[in-house]
Amino acid sequence: MQKVTEEPSLYRHLEKMPVKEILTHINEEDAKVHLAVQGVIPRLTELVEAILERMKQGGRLFYIGAGTSGRLGILDASECPPTYGVPPDWVIGLIAGGDHAIRNAVEFAEDSETQAWKDLEEYFVNDQDTVIGIAASGITPYVVHGLKECQKHGILTGCITCNPDAPVSAYADYPLEVIVGPEFVTGSTRMKAGTAQKLVLNMISTTVMIGLGRVVDNKMVDMQLSNQKLVDRGTKIIKNTVGGTYDDAKALLLEHGSVRKAIEAARQ
């Protein structure tokens, strides 16, 4: 296995670089990420179609990861309910070391070969579900062995890694190897690798939610109205969709408590 994520940076003596030069080079490296993600779209398409098939039958989507990768999975999962109005158990993010690890490094948590499956079992994971392992290196035991156990139980698996032929890919039905090259700071995979993972996760969850009917036209008609900004956004969606005044649209929204329901009521 080639550990691209651990290869030396293309740049030397970073501590001697002027600030603008550092920022410019980081930006130049980040520009490579989009092309790397583009290269996995065919396999990503297959994975999302498989996820949709299962979720339409009542299955769920799980992300498992450690460190930055685990946090990115939790971030993506946690944004689905407010954005698309779905229950919190439709998309679930799990991190090695548990919730404490979201803000703190938990020593050796990622080295466990058994904990990921134990974490999944707490949610009664089954063969209707999909589990995606996120590991920039592709060697994280928590993720690798979690997917291995999933395959033993007939659970659909995918992975997002940034090394070719990574061990995690061997246990993913749909491996996504997004090869972004060495990091600006050698081995700092929260940078390009993390950006690549975030982009892919955005693509997965957004496309899945569209496929599940949680978007109409290009609008988040099921978003949670949890603050005034979102009430304003919902009001404008209604106004732009069915016409009338801002005040009329807001009254409809407050009456029905949902952008979707308000639009449906206005069209009756």
Side-chain angles (χ1 to χ4, degrees):
M1 170 191 160
Q2 183 184 5
K3 294 185 179 180
V4 178
T5 54
E6 298 298 322
E7 290 180 355
S9 171
L10 302 179
Y11 308 86
R12 297 291 305 279
H13 306 299
L14 307 186
E15 73 281 6
K16 297 180 180 179
M17 281 187 186
V19 169
K20 185 177 181 181
E21 187 175 351
I22 291 174
L23 297 174
T24 298
H25 289 318
I26 291 175
N27 180 249
E28 289 170 348
E29 289 302 307
D30 286 344
K32 301 175 182 179
V33 175
H34 298 277
L35 290 176
V37 171
Q38 186 179 52
V40 304
I41 287 179
R43 180 61 60 84
L44 180 56
T45 300
E46 296 173 351
L47 172 58
V48 171
E49 288 175 345
I51 294 169
L52 270 171
E53 181 181 346
R54 282 159 176 75
M55 292 193 74
K56 286 178 179 178
Q57 301 298 320
R60 300 162 295 171
L61 174 59
F62 289 86
Y63 300 133
I64 59 173
T68 297
S69 297
R71 294 180 189 106
L72 288 170
I74 288 172
L75 173 63
D76 194 74
S78 66
E79 289 178 341
C80 288
T83 306
Y84 300 107
V86 299
D89 62 351
W90 279 26
V91 184
I92 299 167
L94 301 175
I95 185 171
D99 286 353
H100 180 70
I102 296 173
R103 291 181 178 272
N104 304 275
V106 177
E107 291 186 5
F108 305 110
E110 70 174 55
D111 296 327
S112 172
E113 297 183 359
T114 58
Q115 190 60 48
W117 181 248
K118 291 178 181 178
D119 292 343
L120 288 164
E121 280 191 309
E122 290 188 11
Y123 290 87
F124 302 100
V125 66
N126 61 75
D127 59 10
Q128 288 293 308
D129 299 325
T130 303
V131 178
I132 297 178
I134 314 169
S137 67
I139 62 175
T140 308
Y142 178 86
V143 178
V144 172
H145 289 271
L147 293 191
K148 183 178 180 180
E149 199 65 29
C150 285
Q151 285 198 330
K152 287 181 182 178
H153 288 79
I155 298 166
L156 183 77
T157 58
C159 75
I160 307 170
T161 183
C162 295
N163 278 328
D165 303 316
V168 71
S169 296
Y171 301 108
D173 299 312
Y174 297 94
L176 304 173
E177 296 182 341
V178 190
I179 314 304
V180 296
E183 299 287 0
F184 180 72
V185 175
T186 300
S188 181
T189 52
R190 74 183 187 89
M191 300 183 75
K192 285 194 299 183
T195 299
Q197 291 171 334
K198 180 67 167 70
L199 290 174
V200 172
L201 289 167
N202 280 347
M203 295 166 79
I204 291 171
S205 57
T206 301
T207 308
V208 164
M209 291 301 153
I210 292 171
L212 293 174
R214 311 304 290 195
V215 173
V216 173
D217 188 12
N218 55 15
K219 301 173 180 67
M220 299 180 290
V221 295
D222 293 317
M223 65 181 180
Q224 293 178 357
L225 305 172
S226 55
N227 57 49
Q228 288 303 314
K229 177 190 73 175
L230 296 179
V231 170
D232 177 67
R233 180 183 296 165
T235 299
K236 290 175 180 176
I237 290 174
I238 296 166
K239 178 180 181 297
N240 293 335
T241 302
V242 302
T245 68
Y246 179 92
D247 289 342
D248 288 342
K250 186 172 184 179
L252 267 175
L253 179 61
L254 296 178
E255 177 184 354
H256 295 280
S258 157
V259 174
R260 183 190 293 271
K261 292 178 180 178
I263 291 173
E264 290 173 350
R267 286 176 167 169
Q268 289 178 353

